[in-house]
Amino acid sequence: MSAPSLDRPRVAAAPPAAAEAQPGPYGELLAAAAEIGERARAVAAEREAGDRELFAEVAAIKESGILAAAVPARLGGPAAEDGGDIAPSRRAELLRVLAYGNGSLAQILQPHFVFARWLFEEKPEGAASTAAASDSRRSARETVWAERILGGALLSNAQAERGPHVAVIPEKGGNAARLDGEKHFCTGSPYADFFAVSAFHHGASDSAVPDVVAFVDALAPGLSLVDEWDALGQRLTGSGRVRLDGVRVAGGDVHPFEFGALPAYGAFAQLLHAAIDVGLAEAALDEALDIARSAGIGGELTEHLTGELAARAFAAAAVLDSAGRAVDLAFAEGADPGGRAALAVGAAKATTGELTVDIASRVFELTGTRGVAPNAELDRRWRDLRTHTLHEKRRDKLRTLGRAFLTGNPPELGTQF
């Protein structure tokens, strides 16, 4: 199917309109995201039927400077209009625009923005005891990682487990550690330059919260990939397994897994997921509208359905924007008192999860049988959304929200809240 026509009213603030509305470095990143996302949209059906990869498109992302939005401005990252860092809501908008083109490509970048925060906002576990030495080592490591990411390095995640915990075993002196174990659902693993690996001291813990996160070179001896990802949707993310067999990592690249050190950690991660959902739904509706227009589909019932779906798309975008502002505030203040951002994003994620899947499901009512033709590709939008919204249980989010508001107590924070 061809790209949605841009000379018609759109439900999305989609490319090129979004990019044209943003001046400066961020506008350039947004324009690049729109262009690369469209390239990934154009090849999605072919790639899904073939090798299920997006290597050329990820390479373009690495060259575009989009990954550098994770680097603080003080270390050479792209600056906002006020000279500060690119706000979290704007990083989410980059993924929303990418998802408008291709949901898999957007999800590949999500872990990069989440885990880069450990590199620039937290002291490594092996830091020296004196403040001066600690600051010196931290500054040196920050510079190294900033240069890597500014050069196009992509961070991917190795977090989920199905069996024993991945063990981290410090070497004598604390200057290095060893990692052993296996991770599942490692999004973007075939494209990664480095992995953020969560681990437990000696692999022993009754807690679901890891002790550390270690940053490991994707080419490190003992690290191997099992590219087995095969799902209903998001088929191009390469979310397979990562095996770690005595993988050595520098002590300065092992960070304590402490949520309190990174305000709105889970909220930011979930904001990015919600942005992907919104981008996918907006694309599904815009593509369905183009099919309906080209076929001359109309009438009062069709107009009513179109209005209902458009209203849902605008509602999903509005709650995403509201949640983004809450996360921006938490980042700016360096704290999330009362879990305000966590609650805002939790409510947004529960809402967008329902609205976007409904939109992507019901666009077929708008197009009729034309929407299920092989070249329509609306099924991919629905499959991607249905798969991506299953990352966590919506009912759990609603229960956590309800408990917080009923009791007046802040929610328990974590990777999903």
Side-chain angles (χ1 to χ4, degrees), residues 58 104 107-109 111 154-157 185-195 225 236-240:
V58 173
S104 290
Q107 191 180 345
I108 289 167
L109 269 61
L154 173 68
L155 306 177
S156 293
N157 86 94
F185 306 117
C186 301
T187 297
S189 53
Y191 316 103
D193 296 292
F194 296 91
F195 285 98
L225 307 181
L236 307 179
T237 59
S239 302

Side-chain angles (χ1 to χ4, degrees), residues 205-408:
S205 177
D206 293 329
S207 172
V209 179
D211 295 313
V212 301
V213 58
F215 289 85
V216 182
D217 193 312
L219 299 178
L223 188 151
S224 60
L225 307 181
V226 181
D227 189 8
E228 62 183 1
W229 177 244
D230 186 15
L232 175 72
Q234 295 294 81
R235 292 179 175 176
L236 307 179
T237 59
S239 302
R241 278 182 287 159
V242 172
R243 289 174 173 167
L244 304 140
D245 184 11
V247 175
R248 197 170 185 270
V249 58
D253 290 329
V254 180
H255 298 248
F257 205 101
E258 297 175 355
F259 294 122
L262 298 172
Y265 177 78
F268 176 55
Q270 293 298 303
L271 179 72
L272 299 179
H273 281 307
I276 294 170
D277 294 340
V278 171
L280 279 167
E282 289 172 329
L285 183 50
D286 279 342
E287 290 168 356
L289 288 171
D290 279 342
I291 292 173
R293 293 188 190 105
S294 64
I297 299 173
E300 291 184 3
L301 294 179
T302 300
E303 290 168 356
H304 181 277
L305 173 61
T306 300
E308 183 179 359
L309 295 179
R312 286 176 174 264
F314 278 105
V319 295
L320 175 67
D321 290 344
S322 178
R325 289 193 296 273
V327 177
D328 287 350
L329 181 62
F331 273 48
E333 294 182 346
D336 185 22
R340 293 177 305 187
L343 290 171
V345 175
K349 188 68 167 59
T351 303
T352 57
E354 178 182 25
L355 291 176
T356 57
V357 171
D358 182 67
I359 291 167
S361 300
R362 297 178 64 198
V363 292
F364 296 99
E365 299 174 26
L366 178 61
T367 64
T369 55
R370 292 175 177 83
V372 296
N375 64 341
E377 298 184 24
L378 289 180
D379 67 302
R380 176 170 55 84
R381 300 297 192 177
W382 176 83
R383 288 187 288 103
D384 286 352
L385 258 172
R386 182 66 279 182
T387 300
H388 187 250
T389 52
L390 294 175
H391 271 79
E392 67 280 335
K393 297 181 178 67
R394 181 173 177 269
R395 60 182 178 270
D396 289 344
K397 266 194 172 28
L398 292 172
R399 182 184 178 189
T400 301
L401 285 166
R403 184 189 303 117
F405 286 115
L406 279 172
T407 64

